[in-house]
Amino acid sequence: PSSGRVGRSKVRAYALFTLPANRKLTDTAERRLKVLQSLDTLGAGFQLASHDLDIRGAGNLLGEEQSGHIKEVGFELYQQMLEEAVAEVKDSGEVQDGGWSPQIAVGTAVMIPESYVPDLQLRLALYRRLGDLESTEEIDAFGAELIDRFGPLPEEVTHLLKIVFIKALCRRANVEKLDAGPKGVVIHFRKREFPNPVGLVKFIGEQGSLAKIRPDHSVVFIRDWPNAEKRLAGSAVVMTQLARLVDKAA
């Protein structure tokens, strides 16, 4: 049976797991089995689902994509965003613009590892707090708090904080999607609109052959970013420049 259905009823369920004698369990499989062994009460299905979510990351709640926003911002924050969107639809019949979240892809893990913050509920609470951070000062203060409470930041958490900063810049610049890779970054504007189009055209012109506008109105910046660190730093620089263009038009 599917692990997502075990323990969600008042009726006790049983599951037998078999493994070929010459087959070795993966680390993830061993973690899942340990979680199963630790949950032996009726109604423990939600705890099991939460642990599994934490182990593998989560996909789009609507079933279209795997490892989407939840993996970046945490299940609790994503659930809050979804609930707010549903509430807005009920109140007004249409989704409002205020709750959109930029999608950032830089090809690196962004998370709070279990090895850093062992308690699941605490990790989810930290993810939720991350969703409220906007300024550099707030993000730096949050990072300092993590260091004070849990020790030096692992790479995944450092990357996560940088992603949160880039997301805040994306919202300022009306960027709904940012895809960064070894050869640069592609930026997609929400509804194909940028608050300062004249400034954007001038800025792209100043880049010469290192930037261009695609037919779909996305913008490509050609860069040499061979690793995640350079992609994160470079994306932050580009987004800071775009956000400043928006500020000039305000």
Side-chain angles (χ1 to χ4, degrees), residues 79 91 101-102 127 135 145-146 148 184 199-200 203 210 220 231:
Q79 186 179 44
D91 291 340
S101 177
Y127 278 127
S135 68
E145 178 187 336
L146 291 180
D148 184 58
L200 177 63
F203 175 66
L210 296 179
V220 180
R231 290 194 285 274

Side-chain angles (χ1 to χ4, degrees), residues 68-88:
H69 294 308
I70 301 178
K71 192 172 183 180
E72 295 178 358
V73 302
F75 174 73
E76 193 168 345
L77 173 59
Y78 190 87
Q79 186 179 44
Q80 174 192 345
M81 291 163 54
L82 185 62
E83 289 174 351
E84 290 174 352
V86 171
E88 287 171 353

